[in-house]
Amino acid sequence: MTVAQDQPSALNFECETGNYHTFCPISCVAWLYQKIEDSFFLVIGTKTCGYFLQNAMGVMIFAEPRYAMAELEEGDISAKLNDYEELKRLCLQIKRDRNPSVIVWIGTCTTEIIKMDLEGLAPRLEAEIGIPIVTARANGLDYAFTQGEDTVLASMAHKCPTKAPKLEAEKKERNAVSSLLNFGRKKEDVTQQESEYKDHQPLVLFGSLPDPVVTNLTLELKKQGVKVSGWLPSKRFTELPVIEEGYYVAGVNPFLSRTATTLMRRRKTKLIGAPFPIGPDGTRAWIEKICSVLNIEPQGLEEREAKIWEGLEDYLQLIRGKSVFFMGDNLLEVSLARFLIRCGMTCQEIGIPYMDKRYQKAELELLEKTCKEMGVPIPTIVEKPDNYNQIQRIYAQKPDLVITGMAHANPLEARGINTKWSVEFTFAQIHGFTNARDILELATRPMRRNNNLKELGWEKLVKEEAKI
Amino acid sequence: MKLAYWMYAGPAHIGTLRIASSFKNVHAIMHAPLGDDYFNVMRSMLERERNFTPVTASIVDRNVLARGSQEKVVDNITRKDQEESPDLIVLTPTCTSSILQEDLQNFVSRASMDTKGDVMLADVNHYRYNELQAADRTLHQVVKYYLEKARKQEQLPTGKTEKPSVNIIGISTLGFHNQHDCTELKRLMAELGIEVNEVIPDGASVHNLRNLPRAWFNLVPYRELGMMTAEYLEAEFAMPYVDITPMGVVETARCIRKIQQVINHQGAEVDYEDYINNQTLYVSQAAWFSRSIDCQNLTGKKAVVFGDNTHAVAMTKILAREMGIQVVLAGTYCKYDSDWFREQVSEYCDEVLISEDNGEIGDAIARHEPSAIFGTQMERHVGKRLDIPCGVIAAPIHIQNFPIGYKPFMGYEGTNQIADLVYNSFTLGMEDHLLEIFGGHDTKEVITKGISADSDLNWDKEAKVELGKIPGFVRGKVKRNTEKFARDRNLSEITLEVMYAAKESVGA
């Protein structure tokens, strides 16, 4: 203890200029429209927004996506056209062509600046056309990348039913996850299964994850006797979970602070502040925390975690003792750094767009604890980083791996610095025990590539230009 | 408001950034919210650029919204000036800053007092111009700025180069096969005995812009980018320009003859006829290809062409005039320059389509059922859904359209590349049909020919199965005729009976 006090033992937070590269938060449309199958996302913005989505979503754009731009024209900006009438016209067209169960309006920078009252227009139009409208201000003035999902889920939290329906049949339909898990079983079996769950306050999880990951995490909790009453979001808008006052909620992703706040303040739920289920260490801590809040003694988690680590050994050999630098763009950075440090890496810097110290409290504590246990220095957390400064630090520190956006990846590679493109962590399946391999598959890819190519001696592929 | 799923040309600032980042040692600072620097990702990924894209953002956030940018933009400009010593910093407005109406020109003037490099504000209105127009304007603006500056400082070189020389104007970053075209054009000029004076903007230094007037003439290979600059140079320095895109055998010859005329007018005594003849008959394979029996098989096949003005016009002419292919529809998304397009293609195609709406183009393709499409990546995907092969000839493009191998579209090597592209598209289509005729892999679902989601007709199960049995290459036609038949008679359900009735009535 005394020794530890001589070194900086607490996390060090810094804040830079905010000149960094990240995706616009409207990109959340790309994964949310696929997650919520009966939704339609309407991004109300300009050509700039459309161009970004079209390029960022790549081939998805050609698959008749359930998203479109409401492209603002000069008449909209100067208020020559009536916002309500224009939106009504487009929403009716969407209703006719696609018949969605919900239309999500994504407000952008432009709607903010011209102060288009989307929240005010939505209820009126909703009543007129008969389709629920959810409004989310996912704009680049206020948010970065994954925070877009946060704004959408926070709005959606308001649309969750307040009271559990009385009828058993309806309840089953409403509860997508449990009916999925009970699929094909007789009713007696289902009742018998219900008894496998411990008696606890209802728990709703929030955060959009691919369905296989949802099933996986739900089963993981089921092993502990924890019943997941629902997920925000569900596969369909019509299956949004019931949220009553006093329910417990837990987040699965580190960027969901607004959603957490909304669930606590507006829906009167109790938030279980836990580290996030990323990496086997995170997953175990997440389950343990949920169990402890629900007064359940967790069973066999230690063995489960150890078993997973055992299976990772081939990957761990590649990264043990290596250093990693997070430039920061998707808010997964703290959880990923904590996991990679547990894997035996050292971390020099954790860049992050926005740090909610309250929502991420448990994760930050686990990071600190992990550093101490692994005997490595505690990294600096740089909020709103400055990419130019970061690149100077990267040149100086020469990390073995830089986790960064695509704008910097190729130029860094050309200078002999290994990179992993950060956005892949957003789209890959990285949650739970089972997916730990996937994270390392991504993180070790440049190392494995290097092993394959190391004989060639082609590391630096740019000519040094004399600086004036 | 407009419901849009896809756009062909990007927003204005993309055009400005393409010009700024094409020049050497020019830095662009966007006045934009977080996330608008997506251009850097595109350049880094599509062009596999080894260097950092010289574009940063001066972030517009809540504070800026409340109090204005104040010192922020000026600080960002002077900071970049110190960090990287660029020759020029281009402050780039975006859609967001257009509405904020901050006095960016004032920021530029203030910043330029403290910077070693030059600073300018890109003069493009987001709501008036698209990517292509903005690029054209920005290039003109930069050229004009440096020529006027040189004139003021009396550093403008006088006189022409000793030998005939040319400026190649319009080669830029993220342009469709621009790098390869540039190499091919330089090679062509070398073979014609013409020196390349300057290539702009790609890889050019702003310090060299003052040398532009030393060239005997300007060559503007792309209709979309460089015309304003060429016209400016003609007006200011009486420099003639050649704006015939040397794409395809006939057009390349026309371009060379025009060059010959322009330089002979200035005292050169050149005759390129032998060169043209030799290249056409023996070096380029394209002329021989159009005589060969392969190409004979293409005679009268139907094609649809869609793209930017330059490429759609050139392809239409090549297909119709050099290969005997029937272009049933030629179209462009360059609405602002549509008169020129019509004038160029009208005698080579059956129908002209000017539109920025991909749904409209998709529907037109479905209606015409061509044997091949030559378009952008969007048309390629339409082709995939309709089972029609597509050769990509214009932006918007994906990473596979930035090939590492040498693939120019211009000059004599370009004619070879285009011949391959056309031929491969058609044979693939024919092989596919042969497979279907002989029942090769006819397990697919019935394809929907309409692109928009407004098909109001229901095919019952039996009719669907029946439709599935019809060979792929006529299936679309049968489906369309049946649906037309049903619609004319106000039938909403298509049964076997309706199908047979339709067949009997229109011979589908």
Side-chain angles (χ1 to χ4, degrees), chain B residues 160-171 182-200 208 211-221 230 233 239-244 246 255-256 258-260 262-263 266 272:
Chain B
K160 298 285 172 190
T161 55
E162 197 180 317
K163 283 198 197 152
S165 62
V166 60
N167 299 317
I168 301 174
I169 299 177
I171 308 290
C182 183
T183 309
E184 186 63 20
L185 288 176
K186 283 179 179 167
R187 195 162 87 179
L188 179 64
M189 292 306 131
E191 284 172 7
L192 298 177
I194 295 171
E195 283 174 359
V196 176
N197 186 50
E198 296 287 341
V199 175
I200 61 167
N208 292 351
N211 292 331
L212 284 174
R214 284 175 54 79
W216 289 31
F217 70 103
N218 295 313
L219 176 63
V220 188
L233 291 170
M239 294 178 75
Y241 63 84
V242 176
D243 62 349
I244 298 165
C255 177
I256 295 172
K258 179 76 185 173
I259 291 173
Q260 172 181 306
V262 161
I263 60 176
Q266 296 175 62
Y272 293 139

Side-chain angles (χ1 to χ4, degrees), chain A residues 303-441:
Chain A
E303 297 77 31
R304 180 105 171 91
E305 191 196 345
K307 190 103 198 196
I308 298 290
W309 283 114
E310 224 173 85
L312 299 177
E313 188 51 35
D314 50 339
Y315 282 131
L316 297 183
Q317 282 173 4
L318 290 166
I319 52 171
R320 212 167 266 143
K322 299 247 163 69
S323 56
V324 59
F325 188 110
F326 285 86
M327 285 186 80
D329 70 346
N330 59 11
L331 284 92
L332 293 171
E333 291 86 2
V334 174
S335 309
L336 288 172
R338 178 259 303 150
F339 168 58
L340 291 176
I341 290 171
R342 177 62 71 183
C343 289
M345 294 187 90
T346 57
C347 180
Q348 290 146 321
E349 175 168 332
I350 305 177
I352 188 166
Y354 168 73
M355 184 73 240
D356 185 334
K357 288 185 201 162
R358 282 206 303 181
Y359 176 64
Q360 293 221 41
K361 186 161 177 281
E363 183 63 86
L364 289 168
E365 281 166 5
L366 183 60
L367 170 69
E368 221 174 313
K369 183 168 155 247
T370 304
C371 289
K372 280 182 187 150
E373 285 177 8
M374 299 302 290
V376 297
I378 295 174
T380 305
I381 294 180
V382 181
E383 206 181 342
K384 291 180 180 295
D386 185 295
N387 280 167
Y388 182 85
N389 295 343
Q390 283 185 315
I391 286 165
Q392 308 310 311
R393 293 199 286 273
I394 287 169
Y395 288 157
Q397 296 168 356
K398 299 189 172 53
D400 296 304
L401 178 66
V402 175
I403 297 188
T404 179
M406 275 201 294
H408 299 112
N410 267 340
L412 286 172
E413 287 283 352
R415 284 157 183 78
I417 296 163
N418 295 317
T419 61
K420 184 71 227 138
W421 176 39
S422 57
V423 176
E424 283 193 79
F425 291 103
T426 327
F427 294 122
Q429 304 190 351
I430 61 169
H431 293 75
F433 286 124
T434 325
N435 291 321
R437 272 193 85 82
D438 291 47
I439 308 178
L440 289 182
E441 168 71 25

Side-chain angles (χ1 to χ4, degrees), chain A residues 98-213:
Chain A
R98 306 297 180 91
N99 194 27
S101 308
V102 60
I103 298 177
V104 183
W105 285 353
I106 303 287
T108 61
C109 302
T110 312
T111 56
E112 287 296 312
I113 296 170
I114 64 173
K115 301 206 186 329
M116 193 184 279
D117 181 21
L118 297 177
E119 281 90 347
L121 297 174
R124 272 174 65 202
L125 194 57
E126 188 173 280
E128 201 177 336
I129 67 171
I131 294 179
I133 295 173
V134 171
T135 316
R137 303 180 177 202
N139 62 68
L141 295 167
D142 300 303
Y143 305 109
F145 196 11
T146 48
Q147 288 180 288
E149 175 182 322
D150 193 22
T151 63
V152 173
L153 296 189
S155 300
M156 227 164 242
H158 292 285
K159 299 271 180 183
C160 291
T162 40
K163 274 273 170 269
K166 292 283 178 311
L167 289 168
E168 182 65 20
E170 259 184 281
K171 194 176 173 184
K172 265 168 76 183
E173 210 171 294
R174 178 66 66 199
N175 195 332
V177 174
S178 63
S179 61
L180 183 77
L181 298 176
N182 292 332
F183 181 72
R185 293 199 189 98
K186 285 191 196 129
K187 198 177 175 194
E188 304 86 79
D189 299 339
V190 174
T191 349
Q192 199 203 331
Q193 277 207 331
E194 292 285 317
S195 65
E196 286 171 24
Y197 293 115
K198 303 272 169 41
D199 189 31
H200 64 79
Q201 275 282 311
L203 169 71
V204 171
L205 301 178
F206 58 94
S208 161
L209 293 176
D211 292 332
V213 184

